[in-house]
Amino acid sequence: MPYEPIRPERLRSWLDKLREAIYEPVAELGIAAWVTAEPVPFEERMQGNHVKLAAGDRWGELWDCAWFCFTGTIPAWQNSGNEKLVLLIDVNGELCIVDQEGTPYQGLTTVNSEFDFTLGLPGKRVIDLEQLPSSGNALEVWADAGNNDLFGKYRGGTIKEATIAICHEEIRSLYYDAEVLLEAAEQLPAGSARKEKMYHALYLASMELSDFSATRVERARSLLHDQLALRNGDAVLTLSAVGHAHIDLAWLWPIRETIRKGARTFSTALRMLERYPDYIFGASQPQLYDWIKHHYPKLYDQIREKVREGRWEPQGAMWLNRTRMYREVSLWYDRSCTASDFFSKNSDRR
């Protein structure tokens, strides 16, 4: 798990940056429009008020219509993998791209639509360039526009973008994988194991993307795979139950009783290991193992065998703090072994 808390708002911010990296603009489109108060058929498309436009220009008032013509030259480019050329067009209104005969081909809608943005982005601004007819490298695309948005409301009628861009398909796929996982996690109850697993996978993916190289994008996608593959009812956690005994070396009994307690506990654990083949046991305190080694050497050998089998886990590697142990032992040490005697005999322990 990360040292810093995983904050969903940071994951949202990362998702926004990921979305921005999907498309790489490489050329601007020329924009011309013939504006009319009411719609006109394709055959009369050049009868309105003719204007040349660029990004940021206003083209019409509420309910105005227009026939747009987008022109450009398809650039030479090197496809380095899973990429393709697209058009990105947003006139802050609704568009219907038509074919060479004026038949509707594809609808586009302003990204600024009056919409519940918690449901996702409503805008449709992408056209697959490979599917559009062209004459060599020359590009001419006609579209019928209305100065209104998805729900009929006025949104400004200002050109936002009209470009040729490279679509990085792997980044696009990663974006939708991450979006699905993040939105699913946000709907789960606080503290649920699946929610935290989803957030952790997204966190690891975000840490992977110091840049958007193909290798890093592929690794980020692989980090999300397991969580995306889970279905309802699938197990989220794998739990391992490991038997454990923690024995205070100097508590409410003499030291000699600690040694005997160790023998009783460890011998019982050995019998449990014999009885249950899938049982695993673990215990801490190196000092306790040292006492068992000296007072019950055969028992110690049995423990060593289980450690070699991987079924007994010596936990922790710290010798007990001597100052604290002295305070606790001072009232409870064995009358036959003073505290000073005990420490002098174990002066090499740290």
PDB file of all heavy atoms in Angstrom, residues 22-51:
ATOM      1  N   ILE A  22      -5.079  11.625 -25.037  1.00  0.00           N
ATOM      2  CA  ILE A  22      -5.565  10.689 -26.056  1.00  0.00           C
ATOM      3  C   ILE A  22      -5.326  11.237 -27.456  1.00  0.00           C
ATOM      4  O   ILE A  22      -4.873  10.512 -28.353  1.00  0.00           O
ATOM      5  CB  ILE A  22      -7.068  10.397 -25.850  1.00  0.00           C
ATOM      6  CG1 ILE A  22      -7.297   9.681 -24.522  1.00  0.00           C
ATOM      7  CG2 ILE A  22      -7.609   9.565 -27.015  1.00  0.00           C
ATOM      8  CD1 ILE A  22      -8.767   9.509 -24.168  1.00  0.00           C
ATOM      9  N   TYR A  23      -5.626  12.520 -27.655  1.00  0.00           N
ATOM     10  CA  TYR A  23      -5.557  13.122 -28.989  1.00  0.00           C
ATOM     11  C   TYR A  23      -4.414  14.135 -29.060  1.00  0.00           C
ATOM     12  O   TYR A  23      -4.274  14.987 -28.192  1.00  0.00           O
ATOM     13  CB  TYR A  23      -6.877  13.797 -29.333  1.00  0.00           C
ATOM     14  CG  TYR A  23      -8.048  12.845 -29.326  1.00  0.00           C
ATOM     15  CD1 TYR A  23      -8.971  12.865 -28.281  1.00  0.00           C
ATOM     16  CD2 TYR A  23      -8.219  11.910 -30.344  1.00  0.00           C
ATOM     17  CE1 TYR A  23     -10.038  11.979 -28.260  1.00  0.00           C
ATOM     18  CE2 TYR A  23      -9.281  11.027 -30.327  1.00  0.00           C
ATOM     19  CZ  TYR A  23     -10.188  11.062 -29.282  1.00  0.00           C
ATOM     20  OH  TYR A  23     -11.237  10.181 -29.264  1.00  0.00           O
ATOM     21  N   GLU A  24      -3.636  14.020 -30.119  1.00  0.00           N
ATOM     22  CA  GLU A  24      -2.501  14.907 -30.355  1.00  0.00           C
ATOM     23  C   GLU A  24      -2.746  15.693 -31.649  1.00  0.00           C
ATOM     24  O   GLU A  24      -2.556  15.159 -32.741  1.00  0.00           O
ATOM     25  CB  GLU A  24      -1.219  14.089 -30.462  1.00  0.00           C
ATOM     26  CG  GLU A  24       0.017  14.893 -30.754  1.00  0.00           C
ATOM     27  CD  GLU A  24       1.224  14.006 -30.999  1.00  0.00           C
ATOM     28  OE1 GLU A  24       1.171  12.791 -30.701  1.00  0.00           O
ATOM     29  OE2 GLU A  24       2.226  14.536 -31.512  1.00  0.00           O
ATOM     30  N   PRO A  25      -3.176  16.965 -31.570  1.00  0.00           N
ATOM     31  CA  PRO A  25      -3.439  17.756 -32.781  1.00  0.00           C
ATOM     32  C   PRO A  25      -2.174  17.906 -33.627  1.00  0.00           C
ATOM     33  O   PRO A  25      -1.088  18.168 -33.097  1.00  0.00           O
ATOM     34  CB  PRO A  25      -3.905  19.104 -32.235  1.00  0.00           C
ATOM     35  CG  PRO A  25      -4.413  18.795 -30.850  1.00  0.00           C
ATOM     36  CD  PRO A  25      -3.522  17.706 -30.338  1.00  0.00           C
ATOM     37  N   VAL A  26      -2.330  17.747 -34.943  1.00  0.00           N
ATOM     38  CA  VAL A  26      -1.183  17.864 -35.850  1.00  0.00           C
ATOM     39  C   VAL A  26      -1.419  18.886 -36.954  1.00  0.00           C
ATOM     40  O   VAL A  26      -0.466  19.297 -37.626  1.00  0.00           O
ATOM     41  CB  VAL A  26      -0.819  16.495 -36.467  1.00  0.00           C
ATOM     42  CG1 VAL A  26      -0.295  15.549 -35.401  1.00  0.00           C
ATOM     43  CG2 VAL A  26      -2.018  15.877 -37.195  1.00  0.00           C
ATOM     44  N   ALA A  27      -2.664  19.317 -37.195  1.00  0.00           N
ATOM     45  CA  ALA A  27      -2.934  20.306 -38.246  1.00  0.00           C
ATOM     46  C   ALA A  27      -4.293  20.942 -38.008  1.00  0.00           C
ATOM     47  O   ALA A  27      -5.234  20.281 -37.543  1.00  0.00           O
ATOM     48  CB  ALA A  27      -2.893  19.652 -39.629  1.00  0.00           C
ATOM     49  N   GLU A  28      -4.398  22.231 -38.345  1.00  0.00           N
ATOM     50  CA  GLU A  28      -5.667  22.949 -38.241  1.00  0.00           C
ATOM     51  C   GLU A  28      -6.465  22.764 -39.536  1.00  0.00           C
ATOM     52  O   GLU A  28      -5.902  22.627 -40.620  1.00  0.00           O
ATOM     53  CB  GLU A  28      -5.422  24.437 -38.011  1.00  0.00           C
ATOM     54  CG  GLU A  28      -4.720  24.765 -36.697  1.00  0.00           C
ATOM     55  CD  GLU A  28      -5.596  24.500 -35.488  1.00  0.00           C
ATOM     56  OE1 GLU A  28      -6.830  24.677 -35.611  1.00  0.00           O
ATOM     57  OE2 GLU A  28      -5.052  24.131 -34.438  1.00  0.00           O
ATOM     58  N   LEU A  29      -7.786  22.763 -39.400  1.00  0.00           N
ATOM     59  CA  LEU A  29      -8.669  22.714 -40.560  1.00  0.00           C
ATOM     60  C   LEU A  29      -9.105  24.128 -40.946  1.00  0.00           C
ATOM     61  O   LEU A  29      -9.323  24.982 -40.072  1.00  0.00           O
ATOM     62  CB  LEU A  29      -9.919  21.880 -40.248  1.00  0.00           C
ATOM     63  CG  LEU A  29      -9.718  20.370 -40.054  1.00  0.00           C
ATOM     64  CD1 LEU A  29     -11.022  19.738 -39.582  1.00  0.00           C
ATOM     65  CD2 LEU A  29      -9.232  19.711 -41.338  1.00  0.00           C
ATOM     66  N   GLY A  30      -9.250  24.351 -42.256  1.00  0.00           N
ATOM     67  CA  GLY A  30      -9.873  25.583 -42.696  1.00  0.00           C
ATOM     68  C   GLY A  30     -11.371  25.503 -42.446  1.00  0.00           C
ATOM     69  O   GLY A  30     -11.979  24.434 -42.576  1.00  0.00           O
ATOM     70  N   ILE A  31     -11.998  26.639 -42.070  1.00  0.00           N
ATOM     71  CA  ILE A  31     -13.423  26.632 -41.734  1.00  0.00           C
ATOM     72  C   ILE A  31     -14.143  27.717 -42.526  1.00  0.00           C
ATOM     73  O   ILE A  31     -13.799  28.900 -42.433  1.00  0.00           O
ATOM     74  CB  ILE A  31     -13.656  26.883 -40.229  1.00  0.00           C
ATOM     75  CG1 ILE A  31     -12.779  25.970 -39.366  1.00  0.00           C
ATOM     76  CG2 ILE A  31     -15.119  26.701 -39.875  1.00  0.00           C
ATOM     77  CD1 ILE A  31     -12.783  26.340 -37.895  1.00  0.00           C
ATOM     78  N   ALA A  32     -15.151  27.308 -43.272  1.00  0.00           N
ATOM     79  CA  ALA A  32     -16.043  28.258 -43.947  1.00  0.00           C
ATOM     80  C   ALA A  32     -17.468  27.863 -43.609  1.00  0.00           C
ATOM     81  O   ALA A  32     -17.768  26.680 -43.386  1.00  0.00           O
ATOM     82  CB  ALA A  32     -15.824  28.238 -45.456  1.00  0.00           C
ATOM     83  N   ALA A  33     -18.366  28.843 -43.527  1.00  0.00           N
ATOM     84  CA  ALA A  33     -19.760  28.552 -43.198  1.00  0.00           C
ATOM     85  C   ALA A  33     -20.683  29.480 -43.982  1.00  0.00           C
ATOM     86  O   ALA A  33     -20.319  30.621 -44.311  1.00  0.00           O
ATOM     87  CB  ALA A  33     -20.000  28.714 -41.701  1.00  0.00           C
ATOM     88  N   TRP A  34     -21.884  28.954 -44.286  1.00  0.00           N
ATOM     89  CA  TRP A  34     -22.942  29.730 -44.922  1.00  0.00           C
ATOM     90  C   TRP A  34     -24.125  29.726 -43.960  1.00  0.00           C
ATOM     91  O   TRP A  34     -24.782  28.700 -43.762  1.00  0.00           O
ATOM     92  CB  TRP A  34     -23.314  29.112 -46.262  1.00  0.00           C
ATOM     93  CG  TRP A  34     -22.242  29.318 -47.308  1.00  0.00           C
ATOM     94  CD1 TRP A  34     -22.228  30.272 -48.276  1.00  0.00           C
ATOM     95  CD2 TRP A  34     -21.059  28.546 -47.486  1.00  0.00           C
ATOM     96  NE1 TRP A  34     -21.096  30.158 -49.055  1.00  0.00           N
ATOM     97  CE2 TRP A  34     -20.352  29.094 -48.593  1.00  0.00           C
ATOM     98  CE3 TRP A  34     -20.481  27.436 -46.828  1.00  0.00           C
ATOM     99  CZ2 TRP A  34     -19.147  28.598 -49.047  1.00  0.00           C
ATOM    100  CZ3 TRP A  34     -19.271  26.940 -47.270  1.00  0.00           C
ATOM    101  CH2 TRP A  34     -18.616  27.524 -48.375  1.00  0.00           C
ATOM    102  N   VAL A  35     -24.337  30.866 -43.296  1.00  0.00           N
ATOM    103  CA  VAL A  35     -25.285  30.962 -42.180  1.00  0.00           C
ATOM    104  C   VAL A  35     -26.659  31.389 -42.688  1.00  0.00           C
ATOM    105  O   VAL A  35     -26.788  32.317 -43.500  1.00  0.00           O
ATOM    106  CB  VAL A  35     -24.774  31.966 -41.133  1.00  0.00           C
ATOM    107  CG1 VAL A  35     -25.723  32.027 -39.933  1.00  0.00           C
ATOM    108  CG2 VAL A  35     -23.360  31.594 -40.676  1.00  0.00           C
ATOM    109  N   THR A  36     -27.717  30.712 -42.188  1.00  0.00           N
ATOM    110  CA  THR A  36     -29.098  31.039 -42.524  1.00  0.00           C
ATOM    111  C   THR A  36     -29.945  31.018 -41.257  1.00  0.00           C
ATOM    112  O   THR A  36     -29.565  30.405 -40.256  1.00  0.00           O
ATOM    113  CB  THR A  36     -29.686  30.030 -43.530  1.00  0.00           C
ATOM    114  OG1 THR A  36     -29.575  28.706 -42.988  1.00  0.00           O
ATOM    115  CG2 THR A  36     -28.938  30.087 -44.849  1.00  0.00           C
ATOM    116  N   ALA A  37     -31.098  31.674 -41.331  1.00  0.00           N
ATOM    117  CA  ALA A  37     -32.001  31.690 -40.170  1.00  0.00           C
ATOM    118  C   ALA A  37     -32.719  30.355 -40.017  1.00  0.00           C
ATOM    119  O   ALA A  37     -33.066  29.951 -38.903  1.00  0.00           O
ATOM    120  CB  ALA A  37     -33.004  32.830 -40.292  1.00  0.00           C
ATOM    121  N   GLU A  38     -32.976  29.686 -41.142  1.00  0.00           N
ATOM    122  CA  GLU A  38     -33.656  28.401 -41.129  1.00  0.00           C
ATOM    123  C   GLU A  38     -32.819  27.383 -41.910  1.00  0.00           C
ATOM    124  O   GLU A  38     -31.979  27.762 -42.741  1.00  0.00           O
ATOM    125  CB  GLU A  38     -35.048  28.532 -41.770  1.00  0.00           C
ATOM    126  CG  GLU A  38     -36.008  29.438 -41.015  1.00  0.00           C
ATOM    127  CD  GLU A  38     -36.379  28.883 -39.660  1.00  0.00           C
ATOM    128  OE1 GLU A  38     -36.427  27.633 -39.524  1.00  0.00           O
ATOM    129  OE2 GLU A  38     -36.614  29.682 -38.722  1.00  0.00           O
ATOM    130  N   PRO A  39     -33.050  26.086 -41.672  1.00  0.00           N
ATOM    131  CA  PRO A  39     -32.284  25.076 -42.405  1.00  0.00           C
ATOM    132  C   PRO A  39     -32.555  25.140 -43.907  1.00  0.00           C
ATOM    133  O   PRO A  39     -33.677  25.468 -44.335  1.00  0.00           O
ATOM    134  CB  PRO A  39     -32.797  23.762 -41.820  1.00  0.00           C
ATOM    135  CG  PRO A  39     -33.452  24.109 -40.536  1.00  0.00           C
ATOM    136  CD  PRO A  39     -33.984  25.499 -40.694  1.00  0.00           C
ATOM    137  N   VAL A  40     -31.532  24.837 -44.698  1.00  0.00           N
ATOM    138  CA  VAL A  40     -31.680  24.727 -46.150  1.00  0.00           C
ATOM    139  C   VAL A  40     -31.111  23.383 -46.579  1.00  0.00           C
ATOM    140  O   VAL A  40     -30.254  22.815 -45.916  1.00  0.00           O
ATOM    141  CB  VAL A  40     -30.959  25.881 -46.893  1.00  0.00           C
ATOM    142  CG1 VAL A  40     -31.548  27.231 -46.500  1.00  0.00           C
ATOM    143  CG2 VAL A  40     -29.469  25.866 -46.602  1.00  0.00           C
ATOM    144  N   PRO A  41     -31.597  22.817 -47.691  1.00  0.00           N
ATOM    145  CA  PRO A  41     -31.114  21.513 -48.138  1.00  0.00           C
ATOM    146  C   PRO A  41     -29.667  21.581 -48.619  1.00  0.00           C
ATOM    147  O   PRO A  41     -29.115  22.652 -48.890  1.00  0.00           O
ATOM    148  CB  PRO A  41     -32.066  21.158 -49.276  1.00  0.00           C
ATOM    149  CG  PRO A  41     -32.609  22.452 -49.756  1.00  0.00           C
ATOM    150  CD  PRO A  41     -32.664  23.351 -48.566  1.00  0.00           C
ATOM    151  N   PHE A  42     -29.091  20.412 -48.742  1.00  0.00           N
ATOM    152  CA  PHE A  42     -27.695  20.287 -49.149  1.00  0.00           C
ATOM    153  C   PHE A  42     -27.431  20.978 -50.480  1.00  0.00           C
ATOM    154  O   PHE A  42     -26.398  21.634 -50.670  1.00  0.00           O
ATOM    155  CB  PHE A  42     -27.328  18.794 -49.227  1.00  0.00           C
ATOM    156  CG  PHE A  42     -25.918  18.523 -49.682  1.00  0.00           C
ATOM    157  CD1 PHE A  42     -24.837  18.787 -48.860  1.00  0.00           C
ATOM    158  CD2 PHE A  42     -25.679  17.997 -50.949  1.00  0.00           C
ATOM    159  CE1 PHE A  42     -23.536  18.536 -49.286  1.00  0.00           C
ATOM    160  CE2 PHE A  42     -24.388  17.728 -51.374  1.00  0.00           C
ATOM    161  CZ  PHE A  42     -23.311  18.003 -50.541  1.00  0.00           C
ATOM    162  N   GLU A  43     -28.377  20.859 -51.412  1.00  0.00           N
ATOM    163  CA  GLU A  43     -28.188  21.440 -52.742  1.00  0.00           C
ATOM    164  C   GLU A  43     -28.103  22.973 -52.692  1.00  0.00           C
ATOM    165  O   GLU A  43     -27.545  23.609 -53.597  1.00  0.00           O
ATOM    166  CB  GLU A  43     -29.336  21.029 -53.667  1.00  0.00           C
ATOM    167  CG  GLU A  43     -29.369  19.546 -54.009  1.00  0.00           C
ATOM    168  CD  GLU A  43     -29.917  18.697 -52.865  1.00  0.00           C
ATOM    169  OE1 GLU A  43     -30.456  19.285 -51.883  1.00  0.00           O
ATOM    170  OE2 GLU A  43     -29.804  17.456 -52.935  1.00  0.00           O
ATOM    171  N   GLU A  44     -28.651  23.584 -51.643  1.00  0.00           N
ATOM    172  CA  GLU A  44     -28.646  25.041 -51.516  1.00  0.00           C
ATOM    173  C   GLU A  44     -27.689  25.507 -50.410  1.00  0.00           C
ATOM    174  O   GLU A  44     -27.813  26.616 -49.887  1.00  0.00           O
ATOM    175  CB  GLU A  44     -30.067  25.535 -51.236  1.00  0.00           C
ATOM    176  CG  GLU A  44     -31.069  25.172 -52.311  1.00  0.00           C
ATOM    177  CD  GLU A  44     -32.491  25.542 -51.939  1.00  0.00           C
ATOM    178  OE1 GLU A  44     -32.663  26.363 -50.993  1.00  0.00           O
ATOM    179  OE2 GLU A  44     -33.435  25.008 -52.551  1.00  0.00           O
ATOM    180  N   ARG A  45     -26.751  24.674 -50.067  1.00  0.00           N
ATOM    181  CA  ARG A  45     -25.908  24.900 -48.890  1.00  0.00           C
ATOM    182  C   ARG A  45     -25.073  26.185 -48.971  1.00  0.00           C
ATOM    183  O   ARG A  45     -24.636  26.711 -47.934  1.00  0.00           O
ATOM    184  CB  ARG A  45     -24.985  23.701 -48.660  1.00  0.00           C
ATOM    185  CG  ARG A  45     -24.014  23.416 -49.800  1.00  0.00           C
ATOM    186  CD  ARG A  45     -23.325  22.066 -49.556  1.00  0.00           C
ATOM    187  NE  ARG A  45     -22.367  21.724 -50.602  1.00  0.00           N
ATOM    188  CZ  ARG A  45     -22.681  21.179 -51.774  1.00  0.00           C
ATOM    189  NH1 ARG A  45     -23.973  20.957 -52.061  1.00  0.00           N
ATOM    190  NH2 ARG A  45     -21.753  20.875 -52.649  1.00  0.00           N
ATOM    191  N   MET A  46     -24.833  26.722 -50.161  1.00  0.00           N
ATOM    192  CA  MET A  46     -23.976  27.896 -50.304  1.00  0.00           C
ATOM    193  C   MET A  46     -24.795  29.162 -50.567  1.00  0.00           C
ATOM    194  O   MET A  46     -24.283  30.150 -51.104  1.00  0.00           O
ATOM    195  CB  MET A  46     -22.954  27.665 -51.422  1.00  0.00           C
ATOM    196  CG  MET A  46     -22.056  26.452 -51.159  1.00  0.00           C
ATOM    197  SD  MET A  46     -20.927  26.045 -52.512  1.00  0.00           S
ATOM    198  CE  MET A  46     -19.739  27.370 -52.362  1.00  0.00           C
ATOM    199  N   GLN A  47     -26.074  29.167 -50.141  1.00  0.00           N
ATOM    200  CA  GLN A  47     -26.947  30.310 -50.380  1.00  0.00           C
ATOM    201  C   GLN A  47     -26.997  31.290 -49.206  1.00  0.00           C
ATOM    202  O   GLN A  47     -27.544  32.385 -49.342  1.00  0.00           O
ATOM    203  CB  GLN A  47     -28.374  29.821 -50.669  1.00  0.00           C
ATOM    204  CG  GLN A  47     -28.476  28.914 -51.880  1.00  0.00           C
ATOM    205  CD  GLN A  47     -27.958  29.595 -53.139  1.00  0.00           C
ATOM    206  OE1 GLN A  47     -28.341  30.728 -53.448  1.00  0.00           O
ATOM    207  NE2 GLN A  47     -27.097  28.901 -53.874  1.00  0.00           N
ATOM    208  N   GLY A  48     -26.441  30.921 -48.068  1.00  0.00           N
ATOM    209  CA  GLY A  48     -26.526  31.779 -46.886  1.00  0.00           C
ATOM    210  C   GLY A  48     -25.421  32.825 -46.836  1.00  0.00           C
ATOM    211  O   GLY A  48     -24.676  33.048 -47.806  1.00  0.00           O
ATOM    212  N   ASN A  49     -25.291  33.467 -45.676  1.00  0.00           N
ATOM    213  CA  ASN A  49     -24.255  34.471 -45.441  1.00  0.00           C
ATOM    214  C   ASN A  49     -22.904  33.771 -45.274  1.00  0.00           C
ATOM    215  O   ASN A  49     -22.683  33.045 -44.314  1.00  0.00           O
ATOM    216  CB  ASN A  49     -24.592  35.283 -44.192  1.00  0.00           C
ATOM    217  CG  ASN A  49     -23.543  36.342 -43.904  1.00  0.00           C
ATOM    218  OD1 ASN A  49     -22.968  36.924 -44.825  1.00  0.00           O
ATOM    219  ND2 ASN A  49     -23.299  36.579 -42.622  1.00  0.00           N
ATOM    220  N   HIS A  50     -22.005  34.009 -46.213  1.00  0.00           N
ATOM    221  CA  HIS A  50     -20.724  33.305 -46.243  1.00  0.00           C
ATOM    222  C   HIS A  50     -19.729  33.963 -45.285  1.00  0.00           C
ATOM    223  O   HIS A  50     -19.476  35.171 -45.354  1.00  0.00           O
ATOM    224  CB  HIS A  50     -20.163  33.310 -47.664  1.00  0.00           C
ATOM    225  CG  HIS A  50     -18.858  32.572 -47.778  1.00  0.00           C
ATOM    226  ND1 HIS A  50     -17.846  32.995 -48.598  1.00  0.00           N
ATOM    227  CD2 HIS A  50     -18.424  31.443 -47.172  1.00  0.00           C
ATOM    228  CE1 HIS A  50     -16.829  32.153 -48.504  1.00  0.00           C
ATOM    229  NE2 HIS A  50     -17.171  31.201 -47.639  1.00  0.00           N
ATOM    230  N   VAL A  51     -19.138  33.163 -44.379  1.00  0.00           N
ATOM    231  CA  VAL A  51     -18.125  33.667 -43.442  1.00  0.00           C
ATOM    232  C   VAL A  51     -16.969  32.679 -43.362  1.00  0.00           C
ATOM    233  O   VAL A  51     -17.164  31.466 -43.471  1.00  0.00           O
ATOM    234  CB  VAL A  51     -18.707  33.893 -42.024  1.00  0.00           C
ATOM    235  CG1 VAL A  51     -19.668  35.064 -42.009  1.00  0.00           C
ATOM    236  CG2 VAL A  51     -19.378  32.626 -41.498  1.00  0.00           C
TER     237      VAL A  51
END
